[in-house]
Amino acid sequence: MFPLNGIASNLPDKILFSWKSVRTAYSLVYAAFGFFMLFFFTKHIISIGITAKNLVGTVFLSISTISYFYFIWLAGKWRKIMIFWMYKERPFLKYPYQVNRIPVVVHVRLLGSILLILSLIEHALFLINSVYSAFKEASVCKYDLPDRAKYYFLKQFPSVFNEIPYSLFLGLILTYINFCLTFAWNFLDVFAILISIGLAKRFEQINKRLTLVKGKYLPPESYWQQVRHHYVKLCELVEFVEIYVSPLVLVCCASDLYFICYQLLNIFNILPYTTSQIYFWYSLIYLILRSLCLLLCTSEINDQSKRPLLILKTIPTYAWCVELDRFIHQTSKETICLTGMRFFFFTRKLVLSMIGTVVTYELVLMQFDLNKNEVDTHENEIVFRYDCNFTY
């Protein structure tokens, strides 16, 4: 998905991107298939009528496809970003800064692995639920199924196979592409979270260094000059990274907001099977936790950048100096954080704002979808029985 060579190297000079590489070709193929599925799905829901619930497929495919194109674009910039990052963080890799007991790279890899494993479990539950629901319908409606694989793929991808002839190979390809698109959708949040951790941990090192002198002795002006210089380096790093990452975090927030509202809307649906109940609640809880993790990790950059001010205010007046005054002014006046393309800033206040937005939009969606559900339930009894109108 992130088509780079040498991505595991400790030296950013070895990170290479090429439009002619196999990895880039794979990413472009996945993006093309995503666009292909998006086109047919959108055409399908337009033909049957758009509702608040069936629009979710279009939103999912749009975000997943865009993410592939975004990471291909970002891969072309990544070497430049990493060279700049390495230059700015070099002072924090040696004395006088304390090295974290658990290195930053371990934090990043561990949290990234946990989130991706949870996303794999979520997708596995989705597949189990879709298979069980499809064949439960076949059992209730007493369908004659000479080809079970064909039946499942026709139920799973009706928008595609309504337009082009069925083949088992294409069904398997679509299942695999759907898995890749799901991975891309999850990877958006994971990537933003890991970038935020890497930045916040460097500000944390400055705070630990300042804590060592708090209330013990009064450092000379050269000390404050050096610390402020390093603080400015981190601020410049955040501003530089934010240029490339802000479109990502904007899409992440919009995606999480939409899918949380969608999942909460489904709370009022009757789930007839245990597999449906397990998948729904796991998916909802995972989505909420992933979104909170994104908001808290990104806002941690702002929290850590403001924390030096608490220590600087304890310095007595007789120890005041020009560099200390500059440091206090910078930490109190500047807002150091990631943004959603400057539409909003990732601070702790954003968490409460997001919760309020979810509640507001949920009430709107409930009102929009309620009558449709009553009509559908009254006429077709979707919750209690199937339409039983499937044909090969």
Side-chain angles (χ1 to χ4, degrees), residues 93-126:
L93 304 178
K94 58 187 179 181
Y95 183 83
Y97 289 99
Q98 294 181 348
V99 178
N100 295 312
R101 289 186 301 172
I102 302 177
V104 176
V105 66
V106 175
H107 279 280
V108 168
R109 290 176 178 174
L110 181 61
L111 183 56
S113 298
I114 291 173
L115 290 173
L116 291 177
I117 289 172
L118 292 175
S119 70
L120 289 175
I121 295 173
E122 192 265 349
H123 189 68
L125 291 174
F126 163 76

Side-chain angles (χ1 to χ4, degrees), residues 70 73-74 77-78 80-86 88-89 191-192 194-200 202-203 233-249 298 301 336-339 341-342:
Y70 168 79
W73 170 80
L74 186 63
K77 313 291 184 183
W78 196 246
K80 174 184 175 182
I81 295 172
M82 286 296 99
I83 291 175
F84 188 85
W85 190 312
M86 185 176 181
K88 292 297 182 180
E89 76 168 0
F191 187 81
L194 301 186
I195 289 290
S196 301
I197 291 175
L199 294 171
R202 295 309 177 200
F203 280 106
K233 280 181 174 288
L234 287 184
C235 294
E236 291 172 347
L237 177 59
V238 173
E239 291 175 358
F240 182 78
V241 172
E242 196 265 339
I243 295 173
Y244 300 95
V245 176
S246 60
L248 168 71
V249 294
T298 49
I301 297 173
I336 307 301
C337 62
L338 296 181
T339 73
M341 297 189 72
R342 297 289 169 177

Side-chain angles (χ1 to χ4, degrees), residues 246-259:
S246 60
L248 168 71
V249 294
L250 177 63
V251 172
C252 286
C253 283
S255 171
D256 292 345
L257 177 63
Y258 175 81
F259 282 100

Side-chain angles (χ1 to χ4, degrees), residues 147-384:
D147 188 340
R148 288 179 172 268
K150 181 178 180 180
Y151 165 75
Y152 172 73
F153 289 130
L154 290 178
K155 292 290 293 184
Q156 191 68 15
F157 306 106
S159 58
V160 176
F161 291 121
N162 284 343
E163 302 292 333
I164 60 178
Y166 164 81
S167 72
L168 177 61
F169 177 73
L170 181 57
L172 294 173
I173 289 294
L174 291 175
T175 301
Y176 174 70
I177 294 297
N178 189 52
F179 165 75
C180 293
L181 293 174
T182 303
F183 177 84
W185 175 66
N186 284 281
F187 188 66
L188 284 172
D189 280 34
V190 173
F191 187 81
I193 289 169
L194 301 186
I195 289 290
S196 301
I197 291 175
L199 294 171
K201 287 295 180 181
R202 295 309 177 200
F203 280 106
E204 185 180 334
Q205 286 182 277
I206 287 183
N207 295 326
K208 287 181 178 179
R209 182 181 178 185
L210 293 175
T211 303
L212 292 177
V213 302
K214 181 182 179 181
K216 296 180 181 178
Y217 68 95
L218 300 176
E221 186 170 2
S222 59
Y223 171 88
W224 298 116
Q225 184 180 25
Q226 184 189 59
V227 174
R228 193 181 74 83
H229 177 66
H230 294 163
Y231 183 87
V232 170
K233 280 181 174 288
L234 287 184
C235 294
E236 291 172 347
L237 177 59
V238 173
E239 291 175 358
F240 182 78
V241 172
E242 196 265 339
I243 295 173
Y244 300 95
V245 176
S246 60
L248 168 71
V249 294
L250 177 63
V251 172
C252 286
C253 283
S255 171
D256 292 345
L257 177 63
Y258 175 81
F259 282 100
I260 287 175
C261 289
Y262 170 77
Q263 290 287 63
L264 290 175
L265 187 63
N266 288 327
I267 283 181
F268 303 100
N269 288 352
I270 297 175
L271 302 174
Y273 311 126
T274 303
T275 55
S276 301
Q277 296 170 7
I278 294 174
Y279 166 67
F280 170 76
W281 287 109
Y282 179 90
S283 177
L284 176 60
I285 293 171
Y286 164 69
L287 181 59
I288 292 175
L289 290 178
R290 191 189 70 189
S291 302
L292 284 175
C293 187
L294 171 68
L295 293 174
L296 293 176
C297 287
T298 49
S299 64
E300 184 68 11
I301 297 173
N302 182 256
D303 288 349
Q304 292 292 343
S305 70
K306 293 295 184 184
R307 203 155 290 167
L309 187 60
L310 301 176
I311 300 174
L312 298 178
K313 286 182 176 180
T314 64
I315 305 299
T317 305
Y318 62 84
W320 214 255
C321 61
V322 174
E323 286 298 326
L324 184 58
D325 184 62
R326 289 176 178 174
F327 199 2
I328 290 177
H329 182 270
Q330 188 169 15
T331 54
S332 61
K333 299 299 182 181
E334 293 186 5
T335 302
I336 307 301
C337 62
L338 296 181
T339 73
M341 297 189 72
R342 297 289 169 177
F343 288 110
F344 51 85
F345 297 84
F346 277 91
T347 62
R348 293 282 175 176
K349 295 179 181 179
L350 183 64
V351 179
L352 295 177
S353 299
M354 284 285 287
I355 293 174
T357 304
V358 167
V359 172
T360 301
Y361 279 99
E362 186 63 24
L363 293 174
V364 173
L365 286 173
M366 284 174 58
Q367 186 175 9
F368 173 75
D369 195 68
L370 186 59
N371 292 332
K372 181 67 72 174
N373 279 342
E374 288 178 354
V375 172
D376 288 345
T377 301
H378 175 72
E379 291 183 356
N380 300 318
E381 298 185 68
I382 294 175
V383 174
F384 300 105

